[in-house]
Amino acid sequence: MRWLCLLALGTCYVTFFMFMDLDGFFIPFTNWTLVITTLSIIASIQASTDEVNFGKDALQTSDRACYTQARHHVLYTLAIMMNFICVGFYWFMLRDEQQEIHGGHEKNGWGRSIHLEMVHSVPACSTIVNVICTNTILRKENWKFITYLTLLYGGVVWAFYLTTGIQQYSFLNYETGDAFKNLFWINLGAVIVYVIFCTLDEMIKP
């Protein structure tokens, strides 16, 4: 199933490079989510066959096990939360706005519309499949990685705005300062949701 997910994720890269602006790949949060989800699926595929670093008592028998398991866990955690944010914002807040912007493109409007629908659904579905297939329990202390990611992405988009004058999203308005306030609330909300997910995960998984 993970290999099918990886294949499906690959189609999102194909549609992006076919229809979107190549020089803007690392600006949308959606593409960050796509990349992290891809790395998470790859890490899970490797973990499923790596008995040295993920087998019984691996932490006591392998020097690399700690790093390898930590990397897998962080990617797994970020993929879940980034897809939650990405899907929530797109389908409930930004879909009409983004479809109007990209769907109206003179040459590739139809392709961009298809890409937006795919890239805001395929990674999330792949993450759900990976969660079902992976016996990994979310850890509450990893909430800090959500804050690190918020600061990193906020900084990148701010730098993008300062250098190009382009506002990436309507709710990230750096000119009025609303972006900083909204990023704070997004981070707080995501951390709260993550703690809830951790609690449910501990109840469901052995």
Side-chain angles (χ1 to χ4, degrees), residues 114-135:
I114 292 173
H115 171 73
L116 287 176
E117 304 293 87
M118 289 178 58
V119 80
H120 290 98
S121 55
V122 172
C125 292
S126 298
T127 298
I128 291 173
V129 170
N130 195 36
V131 168
I132 294 173
C133 297
T134 304
N135 188 26

Side-chain angles (χ1 to χ4, degrees), residues 11-61:
T11 63
C12 293
Y13 292 96
V14 172
T15 55
F16 179 89
F17 290 115
M18 286 179 63
F19 304 118
M20 307 299 283
D21 297 325
L22 303 185
D23 58 351
F25 182 81
F26 288 106
I27 304 303
F29 184 77
T30 304
N31 290 346
W32 286 41
T33 303
L34 174 61
V35 171
I36 291 297
T37 303
T38 303
L39 294 176
S40 177
I41 297 294
I42 292 173
S44 291
I45 291 173
Q46 293 175 339
S48 66
T49 58
D50 186 354
E51 295 185 2
V52 174
N53 294 307
F54 288 88
K56 184 179 180 181
D57 299 325
L59 293 176
Q60 284 75 42
T61 59

Side-chain angles (χ1 to χ4, degrees), residues 95-108:
R95 185 172 184 266
D96 292 341
E97 171 189 306
Q98 292 296 307
Q99 284 289 350
E100 182 178 352
I101 293 172
H102 295 287
H105 189 270
E106 182 178 354
K107 183 180 179 180
N108 295 321

Side-chain angles (χ1 to χ4, degrees), residues 5 36 47 54 59 63 85 107 118 124 130 158 163 171 182:
C5 290
I36 291 297
F54 288 88
L59 293 176
D63 294 334
I85 294 170
K107 183 180 179 180
M118 289 178 58
N130 195 36
W158 189 16
T163 54
F171 61 90
N182 290 335

Side-chain angles (χ1 to χ4, degrees), residues 27 157-158 160-169 172 174:
I27 304 303
V157 177
W158 189 16
F160 177 72
Y161 169 74
L162 292 176
T163 54
T164 65
I166 299 174
Q167 182 178 313
Q168 179 63 27
Y169 298 111
L172 291 183
Y174 287 97

